[in-house]
Amino acid sequence: VEYRHMSQQVLFLGYCALGAIAIALFCLAYGIASAPTSPSSPLGLRGLKRQRVLAQNESWAAFEPFVRWLGIRVSGTLSPVQRQALDEQLSMAGDWMGITPEEYVAMSILSGIACAVAGAGTGYIAGGAGLARLLPLILGLLGLFLPYLQITGAATERLRDVSRGLP
């Protein structure tokens, strides 16, 4: 009898946690949607780099409009200091794929969501026991950092090439 009572408490707490997550996601979506936006300019060296990447990479050309849209949506959430720091990272990486700081944040969000979904699917296939329950969280956090790892890797490679005197 006590076990059944304990099970109901755990079930209730699980539903409360799920409700809290849903409310947090709603607040996050509302904050992003209601933030003032600033569209990016397709001009300059970054725009030229973007056009070249779009012409060469078909999968990025299909995915880029959504990243650009989400980048515009999150543009109002970045402070000027954050925007400047991300812009410096992108400049050090040679204007990686021609993306803007806002699109960099959008790519991180999308990567985190995609990895969390992949983790949830993998956890479900694995039976949802033990560590498999944490896979969405672990992979989601890893996914948030994947664009950062790509960009810092490109910046490191670019600095190494410049120090060797290569074009």
Side-chain angles (χ1 to χ4, degrees), residues 24-72:
L25 289 175
F26 173 78
C27 290
L28 177 68
Y30 179 78
I32 289 173
S34 65
T37 61
S38 61
S40 63
S41 172
L43 305 175
L45 184 60
R46 191 168 279 169
L48 176 64
K49 185 100 172 198
R50 176 189 296 267
Q51 292 304 317
R52 287 182 181 164
V53 170
L54 288 172
Q56 294 173 353
N57 191 339
E58 291 180 16
S59 61
W60 174 245
F63 194 61
E64 184 266 346
F66 185 63
V67 172
R68 189 169 12 114
W69 175 82
L70 187 58
I72 290 170

Side-chain angles (χ1 to χ4, degrees), residues 16-162:
C16 287
L18 190 62
I21 290 171
I23 290 170
L25 289 175
F26 173 78
C27 290
L28 177 68
Y30 179 78
I32 289 173
S34 65
T37 61
S38 61
S40 63
S41 172
L43 305 175
L45 184 60
R46 191 168 279 169
L48 176 64
K49 185 100 172 198
R50 176 189 296 267
Q51 292 304 317
R52 287 182 181 164
V53 170
L54 288 172
Q56 294 173 353
N57 191 339
E58 291 180 16
S59 61
W60 174 245
F63 194 61
E64 184 266 346
F66 185 63
V67 172
R68 189 169 12 114
W69 175 82
L70 187 58
I72 290 170
R73 297 276 45 116
V74 300
S75 65
T77 62
L78 293 176
S79 71
V81 173
Q82 292 170 328
R83 186 176 283 112
Q84 179 65 30
L86 294 174
D87 195 36
E88 287 176 13
Q89 284 182 7
L90 290 168
S91 295
M92 294 294 289
D95 289 326
W96 187 75
M97 294 180 65
I99 64 171
T100 62
E102 293 84 5
E103 293 165 347
Y104 182 11
V105 172
M107 285 179 66
S108 294
I109 292 169
L110 291 174
S111 176
I113 291 170
C115 287
V117 168
T122 305
Y124 179 76
I125 290 170
L131 189 60
R133 291 182 179 176
L134 294 177
L135 276 178
L137 178 65
I138 293 168
L139 292 182
L141 290 174
L142 177 67
L144 286 173
F145 292 104
L146 287 179
Y148 171 78
L149 294 174
Q150 284 285 121
I151 290 170
T152 55
T156 302
E157 184 178 325
R158 183 170 179 253
L159 288 175
R160 185 178 61 237
D161 289 346
V162 167

